[in-house]
């Protein structure tokens, strides 16, 4: 498929000055030590605490964790879309070196959509019910780049073609409620791609969809990402989704990153007990797995193991390692000392006192 | 959309039929219980039986059913509907055509309504939007206080205060500053002037609009707050659109649906307010005419005017329903 959207100049849209140097490995977005606090009736609550990650061109980073772990909040902070009760208390979000959080709101906003775009979870709620799909696809092009009505209609059709919505020419005049769930999510993706962003943040893009459609949408996202060499941040609670799509994984727990790893290494041997619990709770078909997965064989038959307990609410994070009350390897030190996120192997970090033990083949 | 409109028009017609029928029943029972309204024609004089019979015949009151308490008098009702269909709404007791009376009175009332509606929109959209935009800040608190304050002053209080406290000094000042025939002097004239209907109806219209705007301000605020919290607004912001654009195309546009509906509902309220306003400001309009007709026991005129008001209301509701569908595609395709 041709990359129509990238040819921005042709339509009178100034091409992003940086678009041409989107070569694999360029760091596009760098989040460092991000901390976000919410004001609540019980005082301030830290939803994200010292999160760092890096998004490179042509690579997909998965942010994985249970609901409430801060993965969505952190991406809203990147986009400057935090609700009024929340604010960033520390950290930087650098887009190609410029700290988005340090600039005035309007300049930060101007980066959104054009350089960093976002796909939201529930497309029915996230699309405006009273505007046609075509309007919403090219709204930013018309309002921000001064594109004409006719040109924007043409572009809307291209965008729908790009995300493989059939009958694009007719469907741009329809409204979101006339689309099926999967098609609606494709529209959502297309609208985020309208200005050819460098980085796409997809917040649980397939959670609201049924399983077969999930796979299609995920494949589409992966294709588009590969084709444009975008940086993709995939936010999900489902490690099963991550395997086929992501390059790197950051596992979050209670507002912090607890493990950072290339996806293959993580599946081969998790370096944090929380990651291991998450992996065990991914259902898998077939009989035995080879080699590295045999730790789970005992549980393959019958019930799927779950992570015991509940994720802590951001207001009541346990002392020490926040995961220790649910951890099957917890020892005394875990309740008192919080392990830092430290490098445990080449390109891998883990926030566990006993990461070496985990990687050393110990079958807990 | 076409089928939707046809359905609404049919529903409106059915509503009208029902309204006229209920009206007919009420007047019929009133006649049966109170005696012939033809007596009112003679004022203090006592007519002979022949005179009374002649008048009753002239106003269609000669049907024997009017003497039988509890008889719904369907015959005269059907006759009257037939007359309406030919544009004949009868005459008042002095022999003037009801349609003729309405034709002179209605334009003034419509002018009043036009000013009332504009006032609602300007105050409601302006203050309501501002309150929603700066929620929880002093602007929001101030506007909400103001709306409560407005509610505390019903329309007749506003008009009394205006007429007896402000109108005279204001119009004196305007006449001495701008001249007797200046526009400003007309604005503050304490009573209606048929030669300058717009100018003299302006202030009463604004006051009536002000009295009705409080609920409107709160509604606009509430519905916009709901829009602000909507995920589609977050999406629009994520596209990097300027806040002005987001507010206009995603907040105000989306909250316009309940607001338009409210205009229809408030309109009927304004009809009631118009009777008071027209009475106090000496405006020759539908409200004033209706008031006089009821007091004068002029059945034909009451029935005619209420029917016409019902038609106006049903048409406004129809317009609101269609605007509703035009604004919200989910209704259109339902």
């Amino acid at each position: 498929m041709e990359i129509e959207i990238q040819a921005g100049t042709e339509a009178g849209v100034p091409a992003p000055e940086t678009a041409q140097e989107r070569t694999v490995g360029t760091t596009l977005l760098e989040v460092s030590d991000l901390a976000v606090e919410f004001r609540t009736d019980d005082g301030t609550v830290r939803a994200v605490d010292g999160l760092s990650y890096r998004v490179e061109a042509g690579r997909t980073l998965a942010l994985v964790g249970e609901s409430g772990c801060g993965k969505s909040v952190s991406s809203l902070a990147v986009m400057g879309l935090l609700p009024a009760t929340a604010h960033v208390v520390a950290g930087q979000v650098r887009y190609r070196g410029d700290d988005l959080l340090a600039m005035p709101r309007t300049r930060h906003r101007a980066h959104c959509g054009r350089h960093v775009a976002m796909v939201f979870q529930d497309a029915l709620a996230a699309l405006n019910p009273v505007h046609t799909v075509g309007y919403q696809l090219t709204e930013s092009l018309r309002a921000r780049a001064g594109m004409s009505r006719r040109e924007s209609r043409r572009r809307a059709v291209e965008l729908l073609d790009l995300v493989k919505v059939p009958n694009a020419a007719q469907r741009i005049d329809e409204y979101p409620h006339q689309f099926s769930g999967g098609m609606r999510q494709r529209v959502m993706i297309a609208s985020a791609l309208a200005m050819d962003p460098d980085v796409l943040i997809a917040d649980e893009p397939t959670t609201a969809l049924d399983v077969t459609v999930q796979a299609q949408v995920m494949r589409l996202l992966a294709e588009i990402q590969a084709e444009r060499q975008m940086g993709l941040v995939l936010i999900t609670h489902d490690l099963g989704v991550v395997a086929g799509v992501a390059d790197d994984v950051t596992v979050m727990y209670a507002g912090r990153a607890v493990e950072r790893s290339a996806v293959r290494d993580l599946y081969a041997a998790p370096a944090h007990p929380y990651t291991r619990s998450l992996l065990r709770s991914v259902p898998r078909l077939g009989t035995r797995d080879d080699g590295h997965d045999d730790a789970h064989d005992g549980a393959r038959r019958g019930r799927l193991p779950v992570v015991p307990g509940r994720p802590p609410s951001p207001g009541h994070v346990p002392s020490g390692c926040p995961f220790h009350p649910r951890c099957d390897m917890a020892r005394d030190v875990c309740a008192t000392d919080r392990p830092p996120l430290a490098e445990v192997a080449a390109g891998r970090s883990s926030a566990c006192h006993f990461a070496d033990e985990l990687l050393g083949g110990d079958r807990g | 959309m076409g089928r939707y409109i046809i359905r609404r028009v049919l529903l409106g017609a059915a509503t009208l039929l029902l309204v006229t029928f209920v009206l007919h029943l009420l007047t019929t029972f009133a006649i049966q219980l109170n005696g012939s309204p033809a007596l009112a024609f003679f004022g203090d004089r006592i007519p002979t039986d022949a005179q009374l019979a002649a008048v009753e015949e002239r106003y269609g009151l000669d049907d024997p059913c009017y003497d039988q308490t509890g008889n719904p008098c369907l015959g005269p009702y059907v006759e009257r509907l037939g007359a309406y269909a030919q544009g004949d709404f009868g005459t008042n007791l002095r022999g003037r055509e009801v349609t003729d009376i309405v034709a002179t009175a209605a334009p003034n009332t419509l002018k009043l309504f036009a000013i009332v509606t504009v006032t609602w929109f300007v105050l409601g959209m302006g203050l309501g939007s501002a309150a929603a935009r700066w929620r929880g800040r002093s602007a929001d608190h101030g506007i909400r206080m103001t709306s409560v304050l407005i509610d505390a002053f019903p329309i007749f209080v506003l008009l009394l205060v205006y007429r007896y406290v402000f109108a005279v000094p204001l119009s004196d000042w305007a006449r001495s500053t701008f001249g007797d025939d200046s526009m400003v002097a007309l604005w503050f004239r304490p009573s209606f002037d048929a030669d300058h209907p717009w100018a003299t109806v302006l202030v009463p219209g604004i006051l009536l609009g002000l009295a009705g705007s409080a609920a409107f301000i709160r509604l606009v605020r509430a519905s916009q707050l709901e829009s602000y919290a909507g995920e589609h607004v977050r999406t629009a912001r994520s596209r990097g659109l300027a806040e002005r654009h987001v507010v206009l195309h995603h907040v105000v546009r989306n909250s316009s649906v309940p607001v338009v509906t409210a205009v229809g509902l408030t309109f009927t309220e304004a009809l009631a307010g118009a009777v008071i306003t027209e009475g106090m400001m000496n405006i020759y309009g539908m409200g004033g005419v209706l008031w006089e007709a009821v007091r004068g026991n002029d059945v034909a005129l009451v029935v005619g005017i209420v029917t016409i008001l019902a038609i106006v209301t049903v048409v406004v509701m129809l317009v609101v329903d269609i605007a509703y569908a035009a604004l919200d595609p989910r209704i259109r395709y339902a």
Side-chain angles (χ1 to χ4, degrees):
Chain A
M1 188 184 307
E2 54 183 341
I3 308 176
E4 282 282 352
I5 312 309
Q6 213 156 9
T9 39
E10 166 203 20
V13 184
E17 63 278 16
T18 46
Q20 58 273 26
E21 47 169 299
R22 206 184 283 167
T23 44
V24 181
T26 317
T27 299
L28 299 171
L29 189 73
E30 192 168 11
V31 173
S32 36
D33 296 319
L34 183 72
V36 178
E37 281 184 356
F38 276 81
R39 278 193 309 276
T40 69
D41 293 338
D42 312 326
T44 57
V45 157
R46 202 163 262 225
V48 179
D49 193 3
L51 177 70
S52 302
Y53 61 79
R54 199 163 64 192
V55 186
E56 292 170 357
R59 287 180 79 83
T60 299
L61 168 74
L63 280 183
V64 184
E66 287 162 293
S67 44
C69 74
K71 52 197 197 301
S72 293
V73 172
S74 66
S75 59
L76 290 179
V78 170
M79 298 295 287
L81 294 174
L82 285 174
T85 49
H87 60 288
V88 174
V89 287
Q92 287 113 42
V93 174
R94 296 186 183 280
Y95 168 75
R96 291 185 186 260
D98 296 333
D99 187 359
L100 298 177
L101 300 180
M103 50 181 73
R105 273 181 83 95
T106 46
R107 269 191 63 207
H108 185 180
R109 179 75 66 86
H111 278 278
C112 295
R114 169 162 290 170
H115 297 142
V116 186
M118 189 153 174
V119 170
F120 294 93
Q121 175 177 351
D122 178 2
L124 184 59
L127 292 171
N128 191 329
V130 308
H131 292 302
T132 62
V133 157
Y135 174 93
Q136 301 188 59
L137 283 171
T138 54
E139 184 178 23
S140 50
L141 291 171
R142 265 175 298 122
R144 299 182 64 189
M147 186 183 267
S148 72
R149 263 180 99 86
R150 261 190 45 215
E151 180 61 21
S152 73
R153 279 183 73 84
R154 200 179 67 81
R155 182 58 61 87
V157 175
E158 284 171 8
L159 283 166
L160 278 196
D161 279 338
L162 178 76
V163 293
K164 297 175 184 154
V165 171
N167 269 335
Q170 280 125 60
R171 302 220 74 181
I172 57 167
D173 291 323
E174 293 182 9
Y175 292 87
H177 72 274
Q178 293 169 289
F179 283 68
S180 67
M183 288 297 149
R184 210 147 44 208
Q185 194 59 47
R186 287 165 191 260
V187 170
M188 179 89 241
I189 293 169
S191 87
L193 293 174
M195 299 198 89
D196 191 27
D198 273 351
V199 178
L200 188 67
I201 302 176
D203 186 359
E204 307 251 7
T206 60
T207 306
L209 307 175
D210 59 54
V211 185
T212 46
V213 182
Q214 271 187 17
Q216 291 165 10
V217 170
M218 208 43 99
R219 205 175 308 131
L220 175 78
L221 259 181
E223 268 175 39
I224 291 172
Q225 185 264 348
E227 197 171 278
R228 299 165 165 248
Q229 298 301 323
M230 284 189 308
L232 178 63
V233 180
L234 184 64
I235 298 173
T236 178
H237 62 267
D238 184 358
L239 264 180
V241 164
V242 170
V245 186
D247 301 301
D248 307 296
V249 182
T250 293
V251 180
M252 287 183 71
Y253 190 78
R256 305 161 166 277
V258 293
E259 177 167 3
R260 209 153 53 191
S261 167
V263 71
R264 200 165 303 163
D265 298 340
L266 182 123
Y267 274 83
H272 195 283
Y274 178 57
T275 317
R276 192 179 58 178
S277 315
L278 284 181
L279 280 173
R280 281 179 184 170
S281 56
V282 174
R284 235 168 271 185
L285 295 176
T287 50
R288 313 167 55 86
D289 276 286
D290 52 354
H292 57 259
D293 244 339
D294 53 1
H296 315 149
D297 277 0
R300 272 287 157 257
R301 269 175 291 269
R303 277 168 184 274
L304 197 63
V306 294
V307 188
R310 292 166 163 277
S313 77
H316 305 92
V317 179
S319 64
C321 171
F323 187 60
H324 84 264
R326 305 170 72 187
C327 183
D328 53 8
M329 308 176 44
R331 296 171 209 180
D332 290 347
V333 64
C334 299
T336 52
D337 294 2
R338 188 160 72 191
L341 184 67
E343 186 147 27
V344 291
R348 303 196 65 175
S349 310
S350 164
C352 177
H353 293 298
F354 309 105
D356 292 338
E357 228 171 90
L358 268 167
L359 290 175
D362 184 290
R363 312 291 191 201
Chain B
M1 188 81 182
R3 276 185 53 199
Y4 175 85
I5 293 176
I6 290 169
R7 260 206 323 260
R8 291 286 131 178
V9 170
L10 289 178
L11 203 66
T15 311
L16 266 185
L17 211 63
L18 196 70
V19 167
T20 53
F21 185 63
V22 169
L23 189 62
H24 167 79
L25 281 184
L26 286 174
T27 47
T28 302
F29 292 146
I31 292 167
Q32 286 164 353
L33 295 171
N34 288 344
S36 172
L39 284 170
F41 180 85
F42 299 97
D44 293 337
R45 290 180 297 126
I46 297 170
T48 64
D49 284 353
Q51 283 173 320
L52 189 63
V55 171
E56 284 190 336
E57 196 197 333
R58 189 163 139 206
Y59 292 106
L61 299 168
D62 53 346
D63 197 293
C65 74
Y66 285 116
D67 300 325
Q68 302 156 6
T69 308
N71 188 327
C73 288
L74 290 177
Y77 175 64
V78 174
E79 262 173 51
R80 186 182 293 150
L81 282 187
Y84 284 172
Q86 291 158 20
D88 177 13
F89 283 79
T91 63
N92 74 352
L93 287 179
R94 292 192 197 85
R96 203 174 154 203
E97 290 277 334
V98 170
T99 45
D100 183 39
I101 296 174
V102 169
T104 41
N108 295 330
T109 303
L110 290 180
K111 286 188 183 82
L112 190 70
F113 278 177
I115 293 168
V116 166
T117 312
V118 169
T119 311
W120 280 342
F121 260 105
V122 171
L123 286 180
M125 292 303 280
L127 295 181
S129 304
R133 177 82 182 76
W134 291 288
R135 176 189 200 175
R137 311 265 275 280
S138 49
D140 182 21
H141 292 305
I143 289 166
R144 276 157 63 200
M145 288 267 290
T146 311
S147 86
V148 173
L149 206 64
I150 292 171
D151 264 349
F153 286 95
I155 178 62
F156 63 90
V157 176
L158 282 180
L159 288 169
L160 270 178
V161 171
Y162 170 70
R163 191 154 179 212
Y164 293 105
V165 180
F166 291 104
V168 173
L170 274 175
S171 83
D172 283 350
W173 164 79
R175 266 184 299 190
S176 63
T177 318
F178 303 99
D180 273 355
D181 297 324
S182 68
M183 196 45 98
V184 185
L186 285 171
W187 287 345
F188 296 117
R189 263 181 73 116
S191 62
F192 180 70
D193 179 349
D195 295 332
H196 303 281
W198 278 111
T200 45
V201 106
L202 181 70
V203 172
I206 289 176
L207 288 177
L208 183 55
L210 180 70
S213 68
F216 212 61
I217 292 171
R218 288 194 293 264
L219 180 94
V220 169
R221 176 180 179 273
S223 71
Q224 289 199 5
L225 280 181
E226 204 181 307
S227 289
Y228 271 114
E231 285 183 34
H232 65 269
V233 171
R234 197 173 64 185
T235 311
R237 288 189 176 132
S238 83
R239 292 184 188 130
L241 298 161
E243 191 62 20
R244 242 180 77 95
H245 180 100
V246 174
V247 169
L248 214 62
H249 290 84
H250 294 274
V251 176
V252 174
R253 173 68 181 75
N254 282 57
S255 61
S256 63
V257 180
V259 170
V260 164
T261 323
V263 172
L265 295 177
T266 333
F267 183 85
T268 52
E269 221 171 274
L271 271 175
V275 175
I276 298 167
T277 310
E278 288 174 358
M280 289 186 62
M281 302 305 289
N282 300 327
I283 298 168
Y284 185 71
M286 303 278 278
V289 171
L290 181 62
W291 180 247
E292 285 305 315
V294 172
R295 279 165 43 117
N297 213 358
D298 198 334
V299 174
L301 191 54
V302 171
V303 171
I305 286 184
V306 172
T307 305
I308 287 167
L309 288 180
I311 292 173
V312 172
T313 309
V314 165
V315 169
V316 167
M317 293 301 190
L318 191 67
V319 170
V320 165
D321 275 346
I322 291 169
Y324 197 68
L327 289 169
D328 192 339
R330 287 166 298 183
I331 307 279
R332 215 179 307 161
Y333 295 98

